[in-house]
Amino acid sequence: MQTSAKTSRQLQNLHIHFDEIDLHAVTRAFNSTSFSGRSPIIADYEAVISAYFGSPHALACSNGTVAIELALRSLELKPGAAVAVPPTAPVMTILPVISLGLRPVFYDVRPDSFAPDLDDLRSLSAEGIAALITVPMWGYPWDMEAVAGFCSSNGIALIEDCAHAFGTEMNGRKFGTFGDIATFSTHERKLVSTGEGGFCITPHAHLHERMRTWQHHGALFDASGAYRVGERIGSNSKLAPLCAALGISQFARLDIKIASRRAVVARLREALKPCKTLVEFNRYPGSEINGYAMVFWFEGEDRGRSQLLAASGIQSDTVRYNYKPLYHAPAFARYARPCPNAEKLIGSIITLPCHEGLSENDICEIAAVVEDIYGRDYRRSVAS
Ligand SMILES: *Cc1c(COP(=O)(O)O)cnc(C)c1O
């Protein structure tokens, strides 16, 4: 990671918060009867996940990319079946589609959110879209009911890639509970962190069963938990129980973490009010973000400002990701399809950190640096 003299690690958007409770949870896990992916700790973790989302079935797995792969496999789509993905997603969303021999079809997002543009989806009807993946970037909520309604009335399976959207809600209902399957990542940057890890939730018992079979070497389970292998194909993508133990203690703190981040969000919003050239990104009316990061629209072209911001110690995720429409990356260019809203959106936003590790001083410093680069500097460069 590039740093400059001004960089304080605090201002970066990576904030890993492990404490004594996490440490004890992992230490206690050494007393478990098993260290493998069949440890009872895994079932405990899955019960915690189910309870948090109010979702009947949860499956822990080794990472969030594999979670998407398991979700797609469970749908048992025909080879080459069309799976709709947004160009605003990171590579992790599209890679499993391609590696499973399915065909990614890019859909445009709405001009004012990361939600699928339903008119654009309607225009894709000749493609025979079998499944659609939504990706609420940086945890900003949109009208998910409309998207779920569209999918169910058109016979399209809905997968929510909620890696950024722990605790994101619309009308009091959590993102991850609208689709047929939702996938999450617990990579170190995510709101629940186990280093590496992921999980799927689903209301459908048969999809859960298929995912579990695939990730357990093709095992078929009976009601007692006994299993037999050799009748189905599968692989191994089980989560290690030490990570699951960490996941349990992280989930216990998730709501507090989100509340702390929301307090920082409120402060940063306030501190950035004088900067009229930045406007916060749209979220579903009446809903609050989960504090994964804050997203802002800036006026005009970037003109190197996001790089300047990074050089001042505040790295926007758009810089870290080298954020561009997925189909501009060489590996996905053959699937390119113009998505003008997505292109415009990607070129008009930055993200700012709002994690619970930021002090009042940090917040003031972020606001001052941002005002310097996106306020006065911008006006000066426009005037010249
Ligand atoms: C982090 C992330 C994933 C999964 O990443 P892993 O590193 O494989 O856990 C998937 N989708 C999105 C949008 C992500 O941010």
Side-chain angles (χ1 to χ4, degrees):
M1 188 178 292
Q2 272 194 340
T3 54
S4 75
K6 245 187 136 181
T7 303
S8 124
R9 216 181 121 72
Q10 285 289 96
L11 299 186
Q12 296 297 340
N13 52 13
L14 175 60
H15 181 67
I16 304 174
H17 181 87
F18 291 142
D19 64 14
E20 290 287 303
I21 298 172
D22 296 309
L23 197 63
H24 285 139
V26 174
T27 312
R28 267 200 316 276
F30 280 104
N31 295 326
S32 174
T33 49
S34 161
F35 289 122
S36 81
R38 303 261 308 137
S39 161
I41 296 173
I42 300 294
D44 292 347
Y45 181 40
E46 289 170 344
V48 164
I49 296 167
S50 279
Y52 184 81
F53 291 97
S55 180
H57 308 287
L59 186 83
C61 61
S62 49
N63 61 63
T65 306
V66 148
I68 298 167
E69 185 186 320
L70 290 170
L72 287 166
R73 281 196 189 281
S74 75
L75 297 175
E76 299 186 342
L77 304 175
K78 292 198 185 77
V83 177
V85 293
T88 46
V91 297
M92 296 80 111
T93 308
I94 191 175
L95 288 173
V97 176
I98 296 169
S99 65
L100 290 179
L102 302 167
R103 184 167 56 92
V105 176
F106 286 108
Y107 64 77
D108 206 357
V109 296
R110 291 187 45 82
D112 57 355
S113 80
F114 295 98
D117 180 344
L118 299 185
D119 288 332
D120 191 56
L121 281 178
R122 275 181 207 104
S123 81
L124 291 172
S125 60
E127 300 278 352
I129 304 293
L132 178 138
I133 308 181
T134 52
V135 190
M137 295 298 289
W138 296 289
Y140 274 72
W142 65 62
D143 185 353
M144 196 58 201
E145 269 169 20
V147 175
F150 176 88
C151 287
S152 68
S153 56
N154 288 280
I156 297 172
L158 175 56
I159 298 174
E160 298 179 74
D161 175 357
C162 283
H164 293 191
F166 286 84
T168 291
E169 290 182 355
M170 171 211 168
N171 291 344
R173 181 167 167 194
K174 284 194 171 68
F175 273 54
T177 65
F178 290 90
D180 294 296
I181 308 167
T183 66
F184 288 80
S185 164
T186 58
H187 178 260
E188 67 177 358
R189 282 186 179 273
K190 307 297 157 68
L191 288 189
V192 168
S193 171
T194 62
E196 297 279 353
F199 59 86
C200 301
I201 54 175
T202 175
H204 306 297
H206 69 290
L207 299 183
H208 174 251
E209 210 41 53
R210 287 174 190 168
M211 292 193 285
R212 191 154 74 127
T213 288
W214 185 271
Q215 79 150 195
H216 279 71
H217 307 118
L220 292 172
F221 294 82
D222 67 23
S224 74
Y227 65 97
R228 52 188 198 281
V229 294
E231 292 172 42
R232 294 279 197 287
I233 303 299
S235 185
N236 178 12
S237 54
K238 300 191 289 292
L239 183 67
L242 295 183
C243 289
L246 197 49
I248 292 170
S249 67
Q250 289 268 303
F251 256 101
R253 248 201 335 263
L254 179 57
D255 283 338
I256 294 170
K257 182 177 184 124
I258 291 173
S260 314
R261 286 183 174 225
R262 283 178 174 163
V264 174
V265 164
R267 269 298 297 131
L268 198 54
R269 234 175 233 154
E270 188 64 31
L272 282 169
K273 255 197 189 134
C275 188
K276 300 294 182 211
T277 52
L278 278 191
V279 175
E280 198 189 343
F281 195 76
N282 318 57
R283 57 186 188 278
Y284 188 76
S287 63
E288 182 52 288
I289 57 169
N290 62 356
Y292 183 68
M294 286 188 85
V295 182
F296 290 89
W297 299 101
F298 58 79
E299 259 178 31
E301 314 246 301
D302 179 65
R303 294 169 180 249
R305 287 178 292 170
S306 54
Q307 293 292 346
L308 210 57
L309 192 67
S312 306
I314 304 163
Q315 192 186 42
S316 166
D317 276 351
T318 55
V319 171
R320 195 168 59 81
Y321 290 170
N322 185 20
Y323 199 37
K324 55 190 179 192
L326 267 181
Y327 52 74
H328 285 177
F332 316 121
R334 55 182 292 208
Y335 308 105
R337 171 180 174 266
C339 295
N341 294 343
E343 292 187 19
K344 186 141 188 288
L345 189 161
I346 287 170
S348 313
I349 59 164
I350 55 161
T351 75
L352 293 175
C354 57
H355 58 73
E356 67 276 26
L358 296 176
S359 67
E360 177 60 25
N361 272 350
D362 294 332
I363 293 169
C364 293
E365 186 184 336
I366 290 171
V369 171
V370 167
E371 165 66 20
D372 204 38
I373 293 171
Y374 283 86
R376 288 193 293 277
D377 264 21
Y378 176 66
R379 285 193 282 277
R380 214 181 294 137
S381 73
V382 168
S384 65

